[in-house]
């Protein structure tokens, strides 16, 4: 079992008299900035001119600078921008200010692992990746808890890169829950695979195909929605709380028997072969190349796929069904 590290393993004093710049103020950016600030770290936020996030960050008591000034001022620069825009912002506004002894940080290894960003050898490069969305990183911190994180060292120029990464993780609350050491390669490849084959791609395809199968057989769309989409959360919550065992212990015997005898017919050897192929495409850089080229071309395919998916019947049915959920209206 891999070792987990906690508060007592990380020294936040490493950031005493240091400035941390958070580049971006989206889901992760706002959580990192506010958690670090509340942990006593001197934080600034770097945003592009005219960013709509500027008033939000300033209202939260944070100092906002343009990215160029933030990178010049900071000792540690955490880039929390979408993968596809990081290279340009890094090249134009961050790289010129990476003087010896500074640290460059990421929450995902994509741009480093696939060579889109190549930092100078004189700076530390580390990653701290919370295993949860930004709103959860912030909320759990405020509750005195935290979200588990992965951390990794790509370059240790100062001899303190690992200590800096662990201190950063403590500053955002990660060491309260536990942090696990990995590598940029391992984090990047497993993260992309999980998203594509299971969490997003696999699950979305499974939900839609189940929904379509019931509709084709003449069942009411609303029932198909409940059975194939709505109840996913109920099952996933049980799995998160206690693994597959707790979920199976909580469902009916009929459902449990159906699980054992039918699940492997849906996700079968053909599916496994496809998963292996998807992993190979990630490992070889094929997916990264495809994604980078798609963005360089202005996202024509990406935009078309978004439009097609938004028009899927499950989305229309879902809007109608959810309109009747009083608890969603309260939210």
């Amino acid at each position: 079992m891999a070792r987990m590290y906690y508060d007592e393993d990380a020294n936040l004093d490493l950031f005493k008299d240091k400035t941390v710049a958070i580049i971006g103020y989206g889901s992760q950016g706002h959580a990192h900035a506010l958690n670090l600030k509340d942990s006593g770290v001197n934080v600034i936020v770097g945003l592009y001119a005219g960013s709509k996030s500027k008033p939000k960050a300033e209202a939260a008591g944070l100092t906002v600078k343009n990215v160029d000034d933030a990178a010049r001022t900071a000792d540690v620069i955490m880039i929390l921008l979408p993968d596809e825009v990081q290279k340009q912002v890094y090249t134009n506004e961050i790289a010129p200010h990476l003087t010896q002894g500074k640290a460059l940080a990421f929450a995902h290894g994509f741009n480093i692992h696939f060579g889109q960003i190549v930092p100078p050898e004189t700076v530390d490069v580390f990653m701290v990746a919370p295993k949860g969305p930004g709103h959860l990183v912030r909320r759990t911190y405020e509750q005195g808890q935290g979200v588990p994180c992965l951390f990794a060292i790509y370059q240790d120029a100062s001899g303190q890169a690992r200590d800096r990464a662990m201190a950063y993780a403590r500053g955002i609350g990660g060491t309260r829950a536990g942090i696990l050491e990995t590598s940029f390669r391992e984090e990047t490849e497993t993260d992309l695979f999980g998203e594509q084959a299971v969490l997003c791609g696999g699950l979305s395809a499974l939900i839609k195909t189940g929904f379509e199968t019931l509709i084709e057989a003449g069942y009411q769309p609303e029932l198909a929605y409940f059975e194939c989409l709505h109840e996913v959360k109920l099952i996933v919550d049980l799995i998160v709380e206690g693994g597959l065992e707790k979920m199976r212990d909580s469902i009916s015997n009929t459902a449990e028997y159906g699980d054992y005898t039918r699940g492997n017919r849906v996700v079968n050897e053909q599916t496994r072969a496809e998963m292996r192929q998807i992993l190979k495409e990630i490992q070889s850089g094929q997916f990264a190349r495809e994604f980078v080229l798609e963005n360089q071309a202005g996202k024509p395919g990406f935009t078309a796929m978004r439009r097609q998916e938004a028009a899927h019947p499950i989305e229309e049915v879902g809007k109608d069904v959810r309109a009747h959920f009083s608890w969603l209206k309260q939210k």
Side-chain angles (χ1 to χ4, degrees):
M1 184 73 181
R3 182 182 168 187
M4 297 288 279
Y5 297 89
Y6 298 93
D7 279 354
E8 60 271 19
D9 301 305
N11 180 15
L12 202 50
D13 288 343
L14 280 176
F15 288 162
K16 197 176 179 184
D17 303 322
K18 302 289 186 190
T19 299
V20 176
I22 302 297
I23 310 300
Y25 199 71
S27 174
Q28 288 291 337
H30 92 281
H32 287 231
L34 293 171
N35 289 7
L36 287 166
K37 176 175 172 283
D38 289 350
S39 291
V41 177
N42 183 35
V43 183
I44 57 177
V45 175
L47 298 172
Y48 65 86
S51 168
K52 292 176 183 173
S53 297
K54 186 180 180 183
K56 293 179 197 170
E58 289 179 336
L62 292 159
T63 300
V64 178
K65 297 177 179 284
N66 62 41
V67 176
D68 191 74
D69 286 341
R72 184 186 294 109
T73 305
D75 302 285
V76 178
I77 302 157
M78 168 59 91
I79 302 179
L80 293 172
L81 300 167
D83 288 332
E84 67 271 22
V85 302
Q86 286 188 16
K87 181 181 179 180
Q88 184 180 357
V89 174
Y90 169 82
T91 303
N92 296 339
E93 300 176 80
I94 296 173
H97 307 298
L98 286 180
T99 49
Q100 185 169 352
K102 289 195 176 189
L104 186 66
F106 299 84
H108 179 41
F110 186 96
N111 277 277
I112 289 288
H113 179 56
F114 292 115
Q116 298 302 292
I117 291 175
V118 183
E121 293 178 0
T122 54
V123 300
D124 289 346
V125 182
F126 68 79
M127 170 172 51
V128 175
K131 291 289 93 185
H135 71 271
L136 206 60
V137 174
R138 179 58 181 156
R139 190 172 78 217
T140 53
Y141 179 95
E142 290 178 302
Q143 292 167 344
Q145 302 162 343
V147 167
C149 297
L150 301 178
F151 76 101
I153 312 307
Y154 180 75
Q155 201 163 272
D156 183 10
S158 70
Q160 284 192 311
R162 192 168 180 273
D163 292 336
R164 281 173 150 182
M166 294 174 78
Y168 186 98
R170 179 169 178 173
I172 63 169
T175 49
R176 294 174 179 177
I179 62 174
L180 181 67
E181 191 163 11
T182 180
S183 65
F184 271 66
R185 173 179 177 259
E186 186 176 47
E187 185 277 336
T188 303
E189 293 177 354
T190 57
D191 188 73
L192 290 174
F193 177 80
E195 290 166 354
Q196 294 171 25
V198 182
L199 304 175
C200 306
L203 183 59
S204 296
L206 188 65
I207 288 169
K208 285 188 301 174
T209 305
F211 176 85
E212 289 162 2
T213 302
L214 288 177
I215 299 297
E216 285 167 9
Y219 296 102
Q220 293 180 58
E222 292 78 11
L223 266 65
Y225 178 88
F226 275 119
E227 296 303 331
C228 297
L229 188 152
H230 176 76
E231 292 192 28
V232 168
K233 180 178 176 0
L234 310 177
I235 296 298
V236 168
D237 282 349
L238 291 167
I239 294 171
V240 169
E241 286 168 22
L244 296 174
E245 185 181 8
K246 174 159 186 180
M247 178 271 286
R248 286 165 172 161
D249 191 48
S250 304
I251 59 179
S252 68
N253 289 340
T254 320
E256 187 183 358
Y257 181 78
D259 171 355
Y260 300 143
T261 59
R262 302 303 195 267
N264 288 339
R265 289 170 56 184
V266 177
V267 180
N268 52 30
E269 283 306 311
Q270 190 178 341
T271 315
R272 192 186 299 273
E274 204 60 60
M275 283 186 169
R276 290 189 181 120
Q277 182 58 35
I278 287 168
L279 182 57
K280 279 181 187 169
E281 290 168 9
I282 291 166
Q283 292 168 331
S284 70
Q286 182 181 332
F287 171 78
R289 182 171 62 250
E290 184 184 318
F291 183 65
V292 168
L293 291 173
E294 174 68 20
N295 282 282
Q296 287 175 353
K299 303 185 182 178
F302 200 175
T303 303
M305 287 184 284
R306 272 183 175 161
R307 190 165 49 236
Q308 287 166 355
E309 288 295 310
H312 192 282
I314 201 169
E315 300 291 15
E316 285 304 311
V317 173
K319 282 176 193 168
D320 291 340
V321 171
R322 291 190 299 273
H324 298 287
F325 293 164
S326 57
W327 50 272
L328 265 184
K329 289 174 189 169
Q330 288 164 3
K331 248 183 172 180

